[in-house]
Amino acid sequence: MQPQCDLRGLWLLLLSLFLLLFEEARAGRPLVSCPAACLCASNILSCSKQQLPNVPHSLPSYTALLDLSHNNLSRLRAEWTPTRLTHLHSLLLSHNQLNFISSEAFSPVPNLRYLDLSSNQLRTLDEFLFSELQALEVLLLYNNHIMAVDRCAFDDVVQLQKLYLSQNQISRFPLELVKEGAKLPKLTLLDLSSNKLKNLPLPDLQKLPAWIKNGLYLHNNPLHCDCELYQLFSHWQYRQLSSVMDFQEDLYCMSSKKLHNVFSLSFLNCSEYKERAWEAHLGDTLTIKCDTKQQGMTKVWVTPSNERVLDEVANSTVTVSKDGSLHFRRVQVEDGGVYTCYAVGEAFNETLSVELKVYNFTLHGHHDTLNTAYTTLVGCILSVVLVLIYLYLTPCRCWCRGVEKPSSHQGDSLSSSMLSTTPNHDPMAGGDKDDGFDQRVAFLEPAGPGQGQNGKLKPGNTLPVPEATGKGQRRMSDPESVSSVFSDTPIVV
């Protein structure tokens, strides 16, 4: 009976071990012990300061934080861990000798949110290096030897919020990283201090929203001194941005191989910074943003008359959009003044004032009608051209007829036009004429004291006509037939 009892106990022990293995397998936690060189506490593995040349194998799949800092790791290959670490959210690799990282090295850790690669020997950031880390929020790369950053190195890293690239050898500003809505839409901190930046894309940096500029650190760089750089940082100082206020003494530039503080450029005679007002014309559509230093703040706008601007209202020309911007549908003169934005956030509150100047005339684009100044200029040119055409195309005076003898009549009517082609003659005078009327064209204008205000001769004020010599008297033109000072209508007399 005793052997049977021992056999039964052995079977029970084996069954218990089997059930235990089954439960572990079902929970997704294989029976992997803590690596010999590491200290394990629950799901935290600390393998720091062990002079490790390679990453320990057989890491537990439930690892959430892995500390491999202060070792002798030189290369991070694609197969650095045979186990897929889907629970890993923090990986510390600082203070190693890393000079190579495979583009597939981060495939086993797709849910990583914190990656520390600082104080290594990295020289370049190749394309798609971090593309597998779509959940990454913080990336530390400071104190390396990075000289080039590929434009595609951070593709698909859409959750990245903080990127530390200080104390490297970067000489080109990676503008594509900070453009709003570009590669890194959630980036709020970019540290490029202590690099080799000499020139900055100043107009592009000035257009960035305040919440990006607030975390854009550029101190300790050999920037080129000029007034545009001074205006840029003076604006940031005026807005009390942390990137300038925290490191004012370390913001310097180079001129004639000498270092100068950016705010002490008196030798350039730069003008003092002044906040510019928004400008608009009658009928313009305008949107003014509440440019806060933090995203996601609740924004309230107040008009110059101290009235709150309501949200989307059908009949109102001034409304607040969903993103907190002040929107004008058709700007009017009375819309000018100082508008105030009150922003409330989790960390702090902020008050911004924006001045709007409205010009009392419309300004159309190049596809619309011409503006007033241009229309006036064109009108003047057209007037000059028309006068020249009128002078050159009017009928020739009598003196341009070289063959015809000059007229001997002195009794032309004083009311005939100064631009008449020939004097008016009596159609019945002279025997060498035909029996019919001698038809000639004259442009008539009234002259003399008998002229009225409406361009017609007053009745009863017809001037006497002196007697003609040789051919009889000349017939007077009907004063009522003169309708305009410069009438272009030919009159048959």
Side-chain angles (χ1 to χ4, degrees):
M1 295 294 296
Q2 187 68 27
Q4 291 180 354
C5 291
D6 294 341
L7 184 62
R8 185 177 179 181
L10 180 61
W11 279 107
L12 290 174
L13 179 61
L14 291 175
L15 181 60
S16 299
L17 291 174
F18 175 77
L19 291 176
L20 180 61
L21 291 173
F22 178 76
E23 288 296 330
E24 291 289 344
R26 190 175 68 173
R29 300 175 64 176
L31 297 177
V32 178
S33 60
C34 183
C38 302
L39 177 63
C40 300
S42 183
N43 57 357
I44 298 176
L45 271 70
S46 177
C47 310
S48 178
K49 299 180 180 179
Q50 299 297 318
Q51 305 298 319
L52 298 176
N54 297 297
V55 179
H57 287 280
S58 303
L59 295 173
S61 62
Y62 55 83
T63 303
L65 187 150
L66 178 59
D67 186 1
L68 292 168
S69 61
H70 296 275
N71 282 291
N72 294 325
L73 306 177
S74 60
R75 303 174 73 84
L76 193 65
R77 302 181 182 275
E79 62 276 5
W80 65 276
T81 172
T83 307
R84 188 173 175 84
L85 306 176
T86 57
H87 297 278
L88 189 68
H89 60 74
S90 300
L91 177 59
L92 310 181
L93 290 166
S94 62
H95 295 278
N96 278 280
Q97 306 297 321
L98 288 174
N99 54 52
F100 171 78
I101 299 178
S102 172
S103 58
E104 300 177 357
F106 301 110
S107 296
V109 288
N111 298 316
L112 198 65
R113 299 196 302 271
Y114 184 93
L115 176 60
D116 187 357
L117 291 168
S118 62
S119 300
N120 278 284
Q121 304 295 324
L122 298 175
R123 295 184 177 276
T124 61
L125 301 179
D126 299 328
E127 60 177 351
F128 309 120
L129 180 59
F130 305 103
S131 296
E132 299 287 343
L133 301 175
Q134 299 182 12
L136 189 65
E137 297 176 359
V138 180
L139 176 58
L140 286 73
L141 287 163
Y142 62 86
N143 194 27
N144 276 275
H145 302 284
I146 300 172
M147 299 186 338
V149 179
D150 192 274
R151 294 179 180 271
C152 301
F154 300 96
D155 279 9
D156 302 325
V157 193
V158 294
Q159 299 297 325
L160 190 62
Q161 300 175 16
K162 298 180 180 181
L163 176 58
Y164 297 85
L165 285 167
S166 62
Q167 301 179 45
N168 280 286
Q169 308 294 322
I170 300 173
S171 58
R172 185 192 69 85
F173 183 86
L175 182 62
E176 61 276 1
L177 300 182
V178 294
K179 278 189 175 180
E180 189 176 10
K183 294 182 180 295
L184 304 175
K186 294 187 177 182
L187 190 67
T188 59
L189 188 149
L190 176 59
D191 188 358
L192 289 168
S193 62
S194 303
N195 276 280
K196 292 187 176 182
L197 297 174
K198 294 183 179 180
N199 297 297
L200 298 176
L202 300 177
D204 295 311
L205 294 183
Q206 193 66 279
K207 296 176 184 178
L208 294 175
W211 61 268
I212 291 181
K213 294 185 288 190
N214 188 59
L216 182 56
Y217 294 88
L218 297 167
H219 56 277
N220 287 330
N221 275 287
L223 301 171
H224 175 68
C225 293
D226 58 22
C227 290
E228 194 173 0
L229 182 72
Y230 167 76
Q231 293 288 337
L232 175 74
F233 287 121
S234 295
H235 179 206
W236 294 14
Q237 186 184 48
Y238 172 81
R239 288 296 313 274
Q240 299 289 302
L241 301 183
S242 299
S243 55
V244 170
M245 301 305 297
D246 296 345
F247 297 95
Q248 292 189 68
E249 297 180 357
D250 297 322
L251 269 171
Y252 57 79
C253 57
M254 294 285 294
S255 179
S256 301
K257 297 182 180 180
K258 293 182 180 180
L259 290 177
H260 303 271
N261 188 275
V262 171
F263 301 106
S264 301
L265 301 180
S266 56
F267 61 95
L268 292 178
N269 295 322
C270 299
S271 59
E272 293 295 327
Y273 172 78
K274 293 183 180 180
E275 187 74 11
R276 296 179 59 185
W278 286 74
E279 298 179 349
H281 300 81
L282 288 179
D284 284 355
T285 299
L286 181 65
T287 299
I288 301 178
K289 292 185 178 181
C290 186
D291 196 17
T292 57
K293 295 185 290 186
Q294 180 180 334
Q295 284 183 298
M297 302 182 75
T298 303
K299 303 168 185 176
V300 177
W301 283 94
V302 175
T303 65
S305 57
N306 203 26
E307 296 179 358
R308 178 177 175 177
V309 182
L310 301 178
D311 297 340
E312 298 291 343
V313 180
N315 297 328
S316 178
T317 58
V318 184
T319 56
V320 178
S321 304
K322 294 181 179 179
D323 62 349
S325 299
L326 190 65
H327 182 68
F328 296 83
R329 293 180 183 174
R330 291 184 62 85
V331 176
Q332 304 297 325
V333 176
E334 55 269 20
D335 292 332
V338 178
Y339 291 81
T340 306
C341 176
Y342 297 96
V344 180
E346 297 179 357
F348 64 94
N349 300 337
E350 191 174 0
T351 302
L352 298 176
S353 296
V354 180
E355 182 181 2
L356 175 62
K357 291 183 178 180
V358 181
Y359 295 102
N360 195 15
F361 58 89
T362 60
L363 181 65
H364 301 284
H366 60 280
H367 293 297
D368 299 327
T369 57
L370 301 176
N371 58 50
T372 306
Y374 190 67
T375 304
T376 305
L377 177 61
V378 172
C380 292
I381 295 175
L382 262 174
S383 301
V384 172
V385 172
L386 289 175
V387 169
L388 292 176
I389 293 175
Y390 179 76
L391 292 176
Y392 279 97
L393 295 185
T394 51
C396 184
R397 295 174 179 266
C398 57
W399 56 72
C400 66
R401 301 179 181 181
V403 180
E404 187 175 350
K405 295 181 180 180
S407 175
S408 60
H409 292 276
Q410 302 295 329
D412 291 343
S413 172
L414 295 178
S415 63
S416 61
S417 172
M418 295 175 61
L419 300 178
S420 299
T421 58
T422 58
N424 292 329
H425 298 282
D426 190 348
M428 303 303 295
D432 54 343
K433 299 294 181 180
D434 296 336
D435 294 336
F437 289 104
D438 182 16
Q439 298 181 355
R440 299 182 184 277
V441 179
F443 294 89
L444 303 179
E445 68 173 350
Q451 181 179 350
Q453 292 182 354
N454 58 354
K456 295 184 178 182
L457 295 176
K458 296 181 180 179
N461 292 333
T462 306
L463 297 177
V465 181
E467 294 182 359
T469 57
K471 287 191 178 183
Q473 291 186 351
R474 184 177 181 272
R475 275 177 30 177
M476 289 292 296
S477 300
D478 184 2
E480 292 297 325
S481 65
V482 182
S483 61
S484 174
V485 176
F486 291 102
S487 175
D488 290 335
T489 307
I491 301 176
V492 180
V493 293

